[in-house]
Amino acid sequence: MASDDVKLIGAWASPYVMRPRIALNLKGVEYEFLEEKFGSKSELLLKSNPVYKKIPVLLHGGKPICESLIIVQYIDEAWSGHSILPSDPYHRAVARFWGHYIDDKWFPALTGISRAPTDEAKKEAIEQVFAGLKFLEEVLEKSGAGKPFFGGDTIGYIDIALGSHLGWLRATEKLSGLTYLDESKTPLLVCWAEKFSAHEAVKCVMPETDKLVEFAQMLKAKFSAPPSK
Amino acid sequence: MASDDVKLIGAWASPYVMRPRIALNLKGVEYEFLEEKFGSKSELLLKSNPVYKKIPVLLHGGKPICESLIIVQYIDEAWSGHSILPSDPYHRAVARFWGHYIDDKWFPALTGISRAPTDEAKKEAIEQVFAGLKFLEEVLEKSGAGKPFFGGDTIGYIDIALGSHLGWLRATEKLSGLTYLDESKTPLLVCWAEKFSAHEAVKCVMPETDKLVEFAQMLKAKFSAPPSK
């Protein structure tokens, strides 16, 4: 499909930016990637998302669309071809529910582990991450019915919502020594993660784990260093 | 339209429960309202929403749908008639964005005012509420184009997302003495709030301000009272 003035404002390390990139790849839409410089916000970003001032922003014919899962739904509705959301209203609602859960509860628990002020809070956050993965294992078991993806035979909305976090999940595993995607606890998710990461629409935008680890260490050093004089 | 086994688990004072009630009224769908008792959670609620254990839950033919704005989208897709979301993908994305903003930023700022630990935090929360209303005034100006609702001539997605909070906004005004919907600051919103509240699909489910004030005072007394021996 020919591109009709599609631009995406983003950054390579953001899981939220991965989502519209995967959706555009699935639809076969060409787009220009406008990489934001770390630590600053471009004029275009500030103008395009004056409310949140956050990436990603999709610009389609100059019109901005914000919030990663809203962009994914927009891409699904604006371009034909590969269907990202199921066609049945009930299954669409279920997909939206898990997308919301991942953003509202699961990922905040994962990022909360390293920020937990006490050992008890840390333990609780880790438990929440595992509980979330258990929920999602059950969803995969039900919706997948022996198929590789949450979307069945093809990548769908929940695949994108969760799969975009795989890079940081692996980086967190490497940094903490904990295994979140554990064969003995959530075998279907382990298998899903491999298939998702190897998919043509995903592998070209999935950041390397070592690069994310390096990035996380740089961030940590930057924010724990005393201010320069 | 005849009801086909539609039930809604909710409570009268919840703005989130108002949303599916308004959507069902707009579609002309009859439903059974299952009121949760204050301070407890029914077996049906726990079974229907095991992840969040929260109202509202819509049960359609026994299948549960959770999260208020996801339920509203489901109602829009599952029943024909009155359209809640716009038909154009870009306008749908804009409506979803503002629905998200209201839940993610604006309403938390409003409820955060009374919980603010310092005067400075309180001032900041109040400023956020006014800034949000200013944003929404601009949206109404653009999308309404002289029409009464965010949805144009009829109630749409943003109307439901924001309008469901009008009861608590008025109760908060009465309790705090502050005027949030101010004719001199956001004249279109003041006019919109009146028209929205008087709409046939809304007025039968909009809680009375005095009843909400009484409810808020009961909650405050309950949670600030020393535990009974």
Side-chain angles (χ1 to χ4, degrees):
Chain A
M1 189 183 285
S3 153
D4 45 351
D5 191 17
V6 183
K7 290 173 181 154
L8 183 71
I9 312 178
W12 69 272
S14 161
Y16 299 106
V17 173
M18 264 193 82
R19 292 172 170 177
R21 297 186 87 178
I22 295 169
L24 290 166
N25 289 347
L26 287 169
K27 293 279 187 182
V29 177
E30 285 174 30
Y31 64 98
E32 189 182 344
F33 189 57
L34 307 174
E35 179 105 25
E36 285 288 299
K37 275 187 197 145
F38 177 71
S40 70
K41 291 177 195 284
S42 69
E43 277 303 308
L44 184 63
L45 173 61
L46 296 173
K47 193 183 116 193
S48 306
N49 189 356
V51 177
Y52 283 97
K53 304 175 177 72
K54 273 192 331 187
I55 52 170
V57 178
L58 182 76
L59 295 161
H60 187 195
K63 288 192 218 168
I65 301 114
C66 307
E67 289 300 306
S68 67
L69 289 181
I70 293 173
I71 302 173
V72 169
Q73 289 179 77
Y74 172 79
I75 292 168
D76 198 30
E77 293 173 359
W79 284 279
S80 58
H82 182 111
S83 285
I84 295 169
L85 275 155
S87 56
D88 171 73
Y90 179 72
H91 293 132
R92 290 163 79 86
V94 170
R96 286 187 182 121
F97 174 82
W98 289 109
H100 173 75
Y101 169 77
I102 288 161
D103 282 3
D104 180 48
K105 293 282 173 205
W106 184 78
F107 193 63
L110 182 70
T111 54
I113 295 171
S114 63
R115 292 181 204 141
T118 61
D119 280 352
E120 201 179 335
K122 188 173 183 171
K123 198 181 150 210
E124 201 180 309
I126 291 171
E127 275 169 15
Q128 278 176 11
V129 170
F130 278 113
L133 292 172
K134 196 78 193 159
F135 272 134
L136 289 156
E137 176 85 356
E138 284 166 25
V139 177
L140 187 57
E141 195 173 357
K142 273 188 216 164
S143 65
K147 293 181 172 178
F149 299 112
F150 287 92
D153 287 319
T154 55
I155 287 180
Y157 189 76
I158 307 177
D159 295 289
I160 295 174
L162 183 64
S164 56
H165 291 305
L166 282 173
W168 278 108
L169 190 69
R170 291 184 187 118
T172 310
E173 284 182 334
K174 209 156 182 171
L175 285 161
S176 68
L178 269 168
T179 302
Y180 292 107
L181 280 183
D182 184 336
E183 185 85 40
S184 68
K185 285 178 182 150
T186 50
L188 295 177
L189 276 181
V190 171
C191 185
W192 162 82
E194 265 178 45
K195 282 191 178 130
F196 180 82
S197 306
H199 191 284
E200 283 301 318
V202 175
K203 64 182 182 189
C204 49
V205 292
M206 175 71 78
E208 286 169 35
T209 310
D210 286 346
K211 227 176 134 190
L212 286 175
V213 167
E214 215 174 274
F215 186 67
Q217 283 164 337
M218 182 276 286
L219 284 181
K220 199 180 167 187
K222 190 176 166 75
F223 291 111
S224 60
S228 56
K229 284 179 187 171
Chain B
M1 187 184 286
S3 152
D4 45 351
D5 192 16
V6 183
K7 290 173 182 154
L8 183 72
I9 313 178
W12 69 272
S14 161
Y16 300 106
V17 173
M18 264 193 81
R19 293 171 169 177
R21 298 186 87 177
I22 295 169
L24 289 167
N25 289 347
L26 288 169
K27 292 280 185 180
V29 177
E30 285 173 30
Y31 64 97
E32 188 182 344
F33 189 57
L34 307 174
E35 179 105 25
E36 285 287 300
K37 275 187 197 145
F38 177 70
S40 70
K41 290 176 196 282
S42 69
E43 276 304 307
L44 184 63
L45 172 61
L46 296 173
K47 193 183 117 192
S48 306
N49 190 355
V51 177
Y52 283 97
K53 303 175 177 74
K54 272 192 332 189
I55 51 169
V57 177
L58 181 76
L59 295 161
H60 186 194
K63 289 192 219 169
I65 300 113
C66 307
E67 289 299 308
S68 67
L69 288 181
I70 293 173
I71 302 173
V72 169
Q73 289 180 76
Y74 172 79
I75 292 168
D76 199 30
E77 293 173 0
W79 284 279
S80 58
H82 183 111
S83 285
I84 294 169
L85 275 154
S87 56
D88 171 72
Y90 179 71
H91 293 132
R92 291 163 77 86
V94 170
R96 286 187 182 121
F97 174 82
W98 289 109
H100 173 76
Y101 168 77
I102 288 161
D103 282 4
D104 180 49
K105 292 282 173 207
W106 184 78
F107 193 63
L110 182 69
T111 54
I113 295 170
S114 63
R115 293 183 205 139
T118 61
D119 281 353
E120 201 178 335
K122 188 173 181 170
K123 198 180 150 210
E124 201 180 308
I126 291 171
E127 275 169 14
Q128 278 175 11
V129 170
F130 279 114
L133 291 172
K134 196 79 194 156
F135 272 135
L136 289 156
E137 176 87 356
E138 284 167 24
V139 177
L140 187 57
E141 196 172 359
K142 272 187 215 164
S143 65
K147 293 182 171 176
F149 300 112
F150 287 92
D153 287 319
T154 55
I155 288 181
Y157 189 76
I158 307 177
D159 295 288
I160 296 175
L162 183 63
S164 57
H165 291 305
L166 281 173
W168 278 109
L169 190 70
R170 291 184 187 119
T172 310
E173 284 182 333
K174 208 154 183 174
L175 285 161
S176 68
L178 269 168
T179 301
Y180 292 108
L181 280 183
D182 184 336
E183 185 86 40
S184 68
K185 286 179 182 151
T186 50
L188 295 178
L189 275 181
V190 171
C191 186
W192 162 83
E194 266 179 45
K195 282 193 179 129
F196 180 82
S197 305
H199 192 284
E200 282 301 318
V202 177
K203 64 181 180 189
C204 49
V205 294
M206 176 72 79
E208 285 169 35
T209 309
D210 286 346
K211 228 176 133 190
L212 286 175
V213 167
E214 215 174 273
F215 186 67
Q217 283 164 337
M218 182 276 286
L219 285 181
K220 199 179 167 188
K222 192 177 165 76
F223 293 110
S224 61
S228 55
K229 283 180 188 171

